[in-house]
Amino acid sequence: MKNLCKALTIAGSDSGGGAGIQADLKTFQAFDVYGMSAITAVTAQNTVGVRSVMDISPKLIYDQIEMVSKDIGVDACKIGMLSNAEIINAVCKALKATSLKRVVLDPVMVAKSGDFLLKKGDEKHLVKNLLPLCYLITPNIPEAELIAGISIQTNEDMMQAIFKMRDMGAKNILLKGGHMPGNNLTDILFDGENFHRFSSQRVDSKNTHGTGCTLSAAIAASLAKGENLYHAVKLGRNFVLSAIKEAPVNIGKGHGPMYHNIKVSY
Ligand SMILES: Nc1ncnc2c1ncn2[C@@H]1O[C@H](COP(=O)(O)OP(=O)(O)OP(=O)(O)O)[C@@H](O)[C@H]1O
Ligand SMILES: Cc1ncc(CO)c(N)n1
């Protein structure tokens, strides 16, 4: 008999299977965590781009979160694509009603293909209403620029953006460096007191579709299992790095997916 830890993803569906809900559930599985989903939008998407999107109604999103929380229970949760202000507010309401803990927010705004996944201007609702309810936020560089309202060119700019996000109510921040130039890639974790730097060599690959989704899902899975924040981020980064290195070569003509069936070693 087995007791499984449980994680919920609140995110959009990627028909191509490399990002969104699909990447999150594959990642939860790799961490041996029971995965549940609250789908916020359905995207018609492949490795090249997004053709169309249908948003799910805010009520249906609220109900999905409440139904799984009430019956099954959620040890940790990750939030991805939220499309617009009404959806953001429904998720805020559900988080409060269910008292969800260990919520990791990946503030998804634009897909790797350049398509918008959050209505322009609605990021202010994400910042004002949702950010203070979350345990950790994991912006990439363009997302952090928009949230913090500054341009990020240097390491010092990254630190300044982190302080600005902290002043906006973020408790813990992982600023991902994937969009900074150079062969060495550094993500910075701020845990409310200290900075921790995680560096690795950049893998020369175009199969990086869903790296952000996978990282936040992996961190949520580790938090669900009771890991502390530092170790959860470390495990998550190692997972993404292996998943990029092992990416299959025959899936799609654009930014292909990673390989999620990685053995996680604690
Ligand atoms: N080419 C790469 N080689 C190694 N690690 C990478 C590479 N690209 C991204 N990463 C790592 O993957 C994680 C996600 O970073 P990134 O900045 O790409 O997220 P993202 O832009 O939010 O992804 P997405 O496009 O899925 O939204 C980070 O830990 C980053 O360091
Ligand atoms: C559904 C969805 N969520 C997130 C991303 C960002 O990678 C994407 N491309 N698609």
Side-chain angles (χ1 to χ4, degrees):
M1 298 286 259
K2 208 174 163 113
N3 252 323
L4 281 185
C5 297
K6 295 159 274 184
L8 168 67
T9 165
I10 303 171
S13 163
D14 168 10
S15 50
I21 289 278
Q22 289 79 359
D24 297 341
L25 291 176
K26 290 174 195 178
T27 304
F28 292 163
Q29 188 70 27
F31 279 78
D32 196 27
V33 165
Y34 181 73
M36 298 165 282
S37 63
I39 300 184
T40 56
V42 176
T43 71
Q45 183 177 175
N46 58 22
T47 63
V48 181
V50 181
R51 179 185 290 173
S52 50
V53 178
M54 191 173 95
D55 294 333
I56 302 299
S57 79
K59 179 183 181 311
L60 183 49
I61 296 167
Y62 179 94
D63 284 349
Q64 292 175 76
I65 300 168
E66 199 186 45
M67 286 302 274
V68 298
S69 308
K70 262 169 64 175
D71 174 38
I72 301 168
V74 175
D75 296 311
C77 158
K78 95 127 243 200
I79 302 177
M81 176 184 179
L82 293 176
S83 283
N84 60 47
E86 291 71 36
I87 291 180
I88 291 168
N89 291 336
V91 170
C92 290
K93 203 172 132 199
L95 292 186
K96 286 179 189 159
T98 55
S99 308
L100 283 196
K101 302 275 181 311
R102 292 180 281 272
V103 178
V104 179
L105 171 64
D106 181 15
V108 171
M109 295 179 190
V110 184
K112 216 140 249 167
S113 52
D115 298 277
F116 284 90
L117 301 175
L118 172 66
K119 197 169 141 196
K120 269 193 200 164
D122 280 4
E123 62 279 352
K124 58 178 179 291
H125 298 272
L126 196 90
V127 171
K128 186 163 173 281
N129 303 335
L130 186 54
L131 186 139
L133 302 178
C134 296
Y135 174 68
L136 171 70
I137 62 164
T138 64
N140 64 22
I141 296 292
E143 289 156 357
E145 289 183 319
L146 212 66
I147 295 171
I150 61 167
S151 143
I152 303 175
Q153 310 287 337
T154 62
N155 213 36
E156 285 68 37
D157 296 340
M158 286 177 81
M159 311 270 278
Q160 210 202 330
I162 286 176
F163 284 131
K164 284 196 178 280
M165 289 186 276
R166 180 206 49 194
D167 293 345
M168 291 167 169
K171 294 178 189 72
N172 298 296
I173 300 157
L174 179 67
L175 177 49
K176 298 174 293 191
H179 294 247
M180 296 292 271
N183 280 336
N184 207 36
L185 198 152
T186 303
D187 299 343
I188 304 179
L189 172 66
F190 178 65
D191 65 10
E193 271 180 33
N194 297 307
F195 286 94
H196 307 274
R197 285 167 194 283
F198 298 89
S199 292
S200 49
Q201 282 290 106
R202 184 186 299 277
V203 182
D204 183 17
S205 168
K206 70 182 178 69
N207 294 340
T208 52
H209 181 63
T211 46
C213 303
T214 300
L215 178 65
S216 55
I219 295 172
S222 295
L223 292 174
K225 293 190 108 168
E227 299 291 346
N228 66 33
L229 178 62
Y230 176 84
H231 202 210
V233 169
K234 201 169 169 167
L235 284 168
R237 285 192 89 256
N238 288 346
F239 184 81
V240 170
L241 198 58
S242 305
I244 298 175
K245 285 182 182 160
E246 302 280 323
V249 291
N250 63 333
I251 301 185
K253 299 171 186 66
H255 286 293
M258 295 170 289
Y259 182 69
H260 287 89
N261 203 10
I262 298 293
K263 182 153 176 38
V264 180
S265 41
Y266 289 92

